[in-house]
């Protein structure tokens, strides 16, 4: 991820980025809470809720259900996907800090460019943001193990 940020000469924490209305709307709907979980309201409308046995289950549920895709196939420049994901991650981090003071969250920004194998596309460009509340100390994140995907972790306290 550091290579991409250098290439962009872009500081996502201080450089304003205008999000498309549909993406801004998702973020503006804020968060919902239920049974010790925090979820993005706009992308989590399920009425059937799982039974959690412990905090690890809650963290896993948040990580899985708070995946927000930020790419847009009509974009010509794939690095715009990254800027959009960084802006979404930053906004989510700031809102979490504001709405849940004293709680710790991890916001993860993912990005990959289109990859080719021979003359065929092996992986399309994509960007996404996920987050979860750290409810118990989690193990070491091996962010270097992600192949072909840049990952940025934003810790919110």
């Amino acid at each position: 991820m550091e290579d991409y940020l250098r290439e962009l000469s872009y500081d996502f924490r201080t450089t304003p980025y205008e999000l498309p209305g549909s993406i801004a709307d998702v973020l503006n709907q804020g968060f919902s809470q239920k049974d010790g979980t925090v979820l993005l309201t706009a992308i989590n409308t399920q009425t059937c809720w799982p039974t959690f046995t412990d905090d690890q289950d809650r963290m896993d549920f948040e990580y899985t259900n708070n995946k927000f895709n930020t790419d847009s196939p009509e974009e010509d420049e794939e690095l715009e996907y990254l800027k959009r994901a960084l802006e979404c991650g930053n906004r989510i981090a700031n809102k979490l800090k504001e709405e849940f003071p004293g709680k710790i969250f991890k916001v993860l920004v993912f990005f990959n460019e289109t990859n080719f194998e021979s003359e065929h596309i092996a992986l399309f460009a994509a960007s996404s943001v996920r987050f979860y509340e750290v409810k118990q100390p989690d193990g070491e994140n091996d962010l270097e193990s992600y192949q072909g995907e840049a990952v940025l972790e934003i810790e919110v306290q």
Side-chain angles (χ1 to χ4, degrees):
M1 182 64 80
E2 291 175 17
D3 292 339
Y4 282 116
L5 294 175
R6 268 193 301 279
E7 182 180 338
L8 287 173
S9 298
Y10 180 74
D11 182 351
F12 67 94
R13 295 185 191 274
T14 60
T15 305
Y17 183 90
E18 187 172 339
L19 292 173
S22 59
I23 291 177
D25 288 345
V26 169
L27 299 180
N28 290 337
Q29 288 185 40
F31 307 106
S32 301
Q33 295 182 71
K34 185 170 181 172
D35 197 12
T37 63
V38 176
L39 301 172
L40 270 174
T41 300
I43 62 172
N44 288 286
T45 57
Q46 66 259 39
T47 55
C48 184
W49 218 256
T51 302
F52 301 112
T53 58
D54 59 20
D55 284 339
Q56 184 63 51
D57 283 351
R58 287 178 181 84
M59 288 171 34
D60 292 342
F61 182 77
E62 288 174 339
Y63 179 83
T64 300
N65 289 282
N66 283 321
K67 181 180 182 189
F68 177 52
N69 293 316
T70 63
D71 48 280
S72 173
E74 61 273 357
E75 279 292 337
D76 290 333
E77 179 59 47
E78 291 180 356
L79 288 179
E80 284 300 310
Y81 292 9
L82 175 56
K83 285 184 180 179
R84 188 176 303 125
L86 290 166
E87 179 65 22
C88 290
N90 193 44
R91 288 188 190 189
I92 288 170
N94 289 334
K95 285 181 178 255
L96 288 168
K97 186 174 186 172
E98 178 182 306
E99 291 188 33
F100 304 99
K103 292 189 175 190
I104 299 171
F105 291 88
K106 291 201 177 176
V107 179
L108 300 162
V109 176
F110 297 88
F111 170 73
N112 63 271
E113 292 183 271
T114 299
N115 291 309
F116 292 88
E117 286 182 9
S118 300
E119 296 176 13
H120 303 286
I121 295 176
L123 181 66
F124 285 96
S127 61
S128 63
V129 178
R130 295 177 184 250
F131 74 88
Y132 64 95
E133 180 186 353
V134 178
K135 295 168 177 33
Q136 63 186 19
D138 53 359
E140 288 291 315
N141 284 335
D142 185 13
L143 298 179
E144 299 302 318
S145 69
Y146 285 83
Q147 298 292 322
E149 189 169 38
V151 182
L152 173 73
E153 181 180 87
I154 303 169
E155 187 162 318
V156 180
Q157 293 192 38

